[in-house]
Amino acid sequence: MKNANPSFALMQKAVALHQKGQVAEAEAAYRQVLNTTPRHADALRLLGGLYLQINQAEQAIPCLQQALSLTPNQPELLNNLGVALCSRGQLNDALQCYQQAIQIAPNYAGAIDNLGQLYYSAGKLDDAATCFERSLQLNAQNPGAYVLLGDIYQLQGSPDKAIARYQEALRQLPDHPDILTKLGNLLRDQGRSAEACAIYQRLAQLKPNDVSVHLNLGVIYRDMGDLNQALTEYDAALKLKPDALDVLVNRAGLLVELDRPAEAAAAYDAALALNPRQPAAQWGKSLALLMQGDYADGWRLYETRFAYKPKPGPAPRVPRWQGEPLAGKELLIWGEQGLGDVLQFVRYARLCHELGAQVTVQCDAALTRLLGNCPSIAAAVNVIDQPDFDFQIPVMSLPHRFGTTLATIPHDVPYLYVSDAARAQWQPYFVEPGAPRIGLVWAGNPRKVQIDAHATDRQRSLTLDHFRPLLTLDGYRFYNLQKGEANGQLAAAGLQHRISDPMGDVADFMDTAAIIENLDLVISVDTSVVHLAGALGKPVWVLSRFGGCWRWLRNQPQSPWYPTARIFGQTASGDWSSCIAAVTAALQERPLNANR
C-alpha cells in the first residue's frame, strides 16, 4: 500500500540529495516539501542545517526557529540555532540557546564546546576554560578544544598548562603546522629552547619552503648559542625570499654576534633599502658601527633606539636637552637601560656640571647612594616626584650630544667615589694584611622574562666552575662579588674555603664599591661590576663573549673607556676555557702585588 502522505517521497528525495552533497537540489526539494506541508518539522530542521552547512546563517535562523516551535526542547536544534545566531552576532540569544541545550542534555559535548567558544570570543576566559575542560571529559578526541585551552591558559599566564594542552592536541594531530607553531613559540618564550628547536625542526620537514619556519628556527638556534646554525637557517630563508625584512634584520644582528660588524652594517643597509625607517635595522646598524669605532654615525643612529623600544622617561614633558646653554639650568639625566650603562655614561655628568648645570640623576635605587656621592651630581634619586627641570636627557644620549669620538672619550678616572661612611663600615672586613686580593664575578643578570636579553646573558655568563684553574693559583685571596641567583654556586661548588663572601651584607652599589676599593683586581664577566670597578679607577679584567658588546671594540685588549681595564675576549663562541687560561697565564707571568 502506498504512503498517503504526499510529502514522504519528497522528503526521501531531499534527504538523499543532501547526503550526496547536491546542496542546491536538496534545498529545492526541502522547499517543495514545505510548500506542500509548511509546518513540516523535519524539513525545517534539515533545511536549517543545510543553510548552516553552506554558511547562510541568515536563512538558517527562521527555519530552525520554526522547527523549534514545532518540536521544542530539542538539544540539537537549540545548538544549531545557537551556532546560526552566533555567526550573525546575536551572542546573547546564542548563549541562551546553548545553555538551554545543556540544561536539557547535560552531557551534550557539542553544545558545551560551542558555549566555550562563545565565552572565549567574549573574553570570558574562566568560563570558556570550564566549558572546554568539561567538553574534553565527555570527548577527549577533540584537538580543537585542546588548542583553545592552550590559548586560554597562555593568556591567563599559565604557560605550563598551555604547553600540556598543545602537546595533547599534537598527539591527536601530530603534523598540524598551526599547533606546532603555537607550541614552538611558547616553548621558546619559556626558555625551553631545545624543545622549541625540536618542534621547529619538525615544522621545517613539513614546510621546507616556509620562510617563517626558517626564521624562527634561526632565532631558536641563536637562543641556544649555535650561531653558525642560526646563520644557516637565515640564509635558507633568504634563498626563498631575498627581501624578507625580518630575516635580513635578524641575520644582521647575528653577524654582529659573530664578530663580523662590517658585514652586519651592510646587511642592515639591505634591510634599510627596503624600509629606511625600520627601527630595529636603524638601531642594530648603530651597534655595528659603534663596534667598529665609527662613533660619528654610530651615536647618531643610536638615537633611533626609542623608536625600536619606546621609553618615555620619568619627565616626558620636560624638553630634551639639545645642546642649549646650561649655565644656571637644572638638568635631569635619567637611566634608561641597565645598571652598567648608567655607571659607564654617568661620567658625562661632570661635563654637564662644567657647563654650569645643576645635575640630578634618576636611576635604580641600588645606585642612588653611590651616584649621590659624586661631586658633579647635585642629587641622585630613584623616583621623580616633581619633574621641575629646565632640560632632561637619557644617559645614553650624552655621548651623541657631546659629539664623542674615540679620541674625545672622557676617560679620567675615578669619577665615582666611596663615601667616608661606607669606607669606615667595610674597612674592618679587610684589616688582615697579606696576599693580593681579587674580586670575582662570573654571571650577569639572567633576565629570564626577556627572551633576547636572556639569550645574550647566556652568552656572556659562565659558571663558578670555570674559575677553578684560576683558584688553584697560590698567593692570592679571592673575594666573591657575585649577587643574585648565581651566588648560590659558591656553596654548590664547595668553594667557600677558597672565596670569601661579603655579599650577604651588601645593600647597594656603594657597599660593593667599598669592597672593591679594598681589592687589588676585579675579574668579571661583562656586567655592571666591570663598570663600577672601572669608574672607581680599580684594575678590572673583563671576560668578554665572542663578538662582545660594542663598547669593547671587538674585544681589543685595552678599553678607551676605562684606562684600568683589560679585555680578555673569547676566541670562539662559547669557549670560556681558553679565556680563563689566558687570565690565569697573565697572573702567572706578571704576579699581582698588594697595592693598598
Side-chain angles (χ1 to χ4, degrees):
M1 178 177 173
K2 293 184 178 179
N3 194 306
N5 185 349
S7 300
F8 182 78
L10 285 173
M11 270 297 294
Q12 284 186 314
K13 176 183 175 182
V15 171
L17 291 168
H18 196 166
Q19 290 173 340
K20 291 178 182 178
Q22 296 175 244
V23 173
E25 294 82 354
E27 178 190 5
Y30 285 133
R31 287 295 180 191
Q32 278 186 286
V33 173
L34 292 171
N35 287 336
T36 303
T37 313
R39 293 171 60 80
H40 196 297
D42 284 340
L44 289 165
R45 173 178 62 83
L46 291 171
L47 181 58
L50 182 147
Y51 283 135
L52 269 185
Q53 184 181 337
I54 60 175
N55 297 317
Q56 293 185 14
E58 189 172 2
Q59 292 179 273
I61 290 170
C63 294
L64 296 171
Q65 287 174 330
Q66 289 181 62
L68 199 57
S69 69
L70 296 169
T71 54
N73 298 323
Q74 296 295 311
E76 184 179 352
L77 262 177
L78 286 163
N79 179 61
N80 286 345
L81 180 57
V83 172
L85 290 166
C86 195
S87 69
R88 297 294 297 168
Q90 297 173 241
L91 302 185
N92 288 332
D93 292 337
L95 177 70
Q96 292 176 17
C97 286
Y98 293 144
Q99 289 175 333
Q100 190 177 347
I102 295 166
Q103 187 176 8
I104 296 166
N107 293 334
Y108 187 178
I112 295 170
D113 203 55
N114 286 332
L115 179 61
Q117 293 188 49
L118 190 151
Y119 281 136
Y120 178 75
S121 299
K124 297 181 178 181
L125 300 184
D126 289 338
D127 291 333
T130 299
C131 288
F132 289 130
E133 292 289 6
R134 173 61 178 154
S135 172
L136 288 169
Q137 288 175 357
L138 298 167
N139 175 23
Q141 300 303 309
N142 187 352
Y146 281 113
V147 170
L148 284 168
L149 272 172
D151 294 345
I152 290 168
Y153 289 137
Q154 190 172 358
L155 289 169
Q156 290 180 325
S158 300
D160 290 341
K161 292 173 72 173
I163 288 168
R165 297 308 183 274
Y166 290 145
Q167 288 173 331
E168 183 57 41
L170 276 179
R171 276 190 277 273
Q172 297 182 21
L173 296 173
D175 292 331
H176 196 289
D178 290 343
I179 304 172
L180 286 165
T181 300
K182 286 175 181 283
L183 179 57
N185 289 344
L186 183 54
L187 287 168
R188 192 236 171 188
D189 289 344
Q190 295 306 303
R192 294 164 63 172
S193 299
E195 294 171 81
C197 187
I199 293 292
Y200 265 96
Q201 285 171 338
R202 285 172 63 185
L203 269 170
Q205 292 174 344
L206 294 169
K207 304 171 72 177
N209 295 323
D210 189 315
V211 172
S212 66
V213 170
H214 289 289
L215 170 60
N216 286 325
L217 197 48
V219 169
I220 292 167
Y221 277 125
R222 183 262 176 183
D223 291 346
M224 297 169 65
D226 192 343
L227 305 187
N228 290 320
Q229 188 59 44
L231 186 62
T232 298
E233 293 298 332
Y234 291 150
D235 287 341
L238 289 175
K239 187 175 181 180
L240 294 167
K241 192 174 190 299
D243 61 347
L245 186 58
D246 288 348
V247 181
L248 287 167
V249 172
N250 276 275
R251 183 179 182 276
L254 187 68
L255 289 170
V256 170
E257 295 184 65
L258 285 166
D259 195 28
R260 293 158 62 177
E263 293 176 66
Y268 280 124
D269 283 338
L272 291 168
L274 297 171
N275 181 358
R277 301 182 66 84
Q278 213 282 341
Q282 290 179 312
W283 185 70
K285 184 180 177 182
S286 78
L287 301 183
L289 295 175
L290 292 172
M291 190 175 181
Q292 298 175 83
D294 183 352
Y295 282 5
D297 287 333
W299 295 129
R300 176 181 56 79
L301 275 175
Y302 198 77
E303 290 299 288
T304 64
R305 65 195 181 279
F306 292 125
Y308 177 54
K309 293 183 178 179
K311 189 168 186 179
R317 295 184 180 179
V318 176
R320 174 78 66 88
W321 180 51
Q322 303 289 351
E324 297 90 341
L326 288 178
K329 303 296 184 181
E330 293 193 17
L331 174 67
L332 171 67
I333 298 173
W334 51 280
E336 56 178 283
Q337 298 183 26
L339 298 172
D341 298 293
V342 175
L343 289 168
Q344 179 178 1
F345 292 102
V346 78
R347 69 184 68 207
Y348 285 89
R350 176 178 60 81
L351 301 186
C352 297
H353 178 69
E354 290 174 354
L355 291 175
Q358 178 170 298
V359 177
T360 296
V361 175
Q362 181 272 333
C363 57
D364 190 279
L367 294 174
T368 54
R369 192 159 62 114
L370 176 66
L371 300 191
N373 193 53
C374 180
S376 57
I377 297 174
V381 297
N382 178 232
V383 178
I384 300 297
D385 295 321
Q386 299 292 331
D388 187 17
F389 301 94
D390 296 294
F391 301 106
Q392 55 86 12
I393 189 167
V395 69
M396 300 295 288
S397 289
L398 286 165
H400 174 59
R401 185 54 50 215
F402 280 96
T404 301
T405 67
L406 286 175
T408 63
I409 290 174
H411 55 68
D412 290 343
V413 294
Y415 57 85
L416 296 179
Y417 306 90
V418 177
S419 68
D420 291 340
R423 185 175 294 111
Q425 176 187 345
W426 284 95
Q427 191 62 45
Y429 194 93
F430 296 95
V431 293
E432 184 178 341
R437 302 164 181 162
I438 300 176
L440 301 176
V441 180
W442 53 90
N445 180 357
R447 292 179 287 185
K448 293 180 179 179
V449 297
Q450 299 171 267
I451 301 301
D452 290 336
H454 182 54
T456 298
D457 181 71
R458 287 170 62 181
Q459 293 177 42
R460 71 167 173 169
S461 295
L462 42 76
T463 66
L464 180 56
D465 277 334
H466 283 98
F467 275 143
R468 286 188 184 273
L470 183 65
L471 297 172
T472 62
L473 296 179
D474 294 327
Y476 296 104
R477 298 188 64 179
F478 294 97
Y479 291 82
N480 173 43
L481 298 176
Q482 181 71 56
K483 291 281 280 185
E485 181 181 321
N487 179 276
Q489 295 177 26
L490 188 61
L495 291 170
Q496 304 95 317
H497 67 286
R498 187 67 177 110
I499 305 174
S500 300
D501 185 14
M503 299 308 286
D505 295 322
V506 167
D508 60 11
F509 274 78
M510 178 64 87
D511 288 331
T512 305
I515 294 171
I516 290 174
E517 190 176 66
N518 286 280
L519 304 179
D520 299 288
L521 172 66
V522 172
I523 300 175
S524 173
V525 295
D526 184 7
T527 188
S528 55
V529 172
V530 164
H531 301 285
L532 177 59
L536 294 168
K538 274 288 182 177
V540 54
W541 291 2
V542 186
L543 304 176
S544 181
R545 69 182 187 274
F546 186 76
C549 179
W550 57 266
R551 69 200 76 211
W552 307 130
L553 296 169
R554 304 187 67 188
N555 289 338
Q556 291 184 15
Q558 304 303 318
S559 168
W561 293 96
Y562 299 112
T564 60
R566 182 175 175 183
I567 316 301
F568 291 81
Q570 286 183 341
T571 56
S573 180
D575 179 14
W576 286 118
S577 297
S578 60
C579 211
I580 294 296
V583 169
T584 305
L587 279 175
Q588 290 173 320
E589 291 167 9
R590 297 186 64 181
L592 197 65
N593 295 316
N595 185 23
R596 297 181 295 278

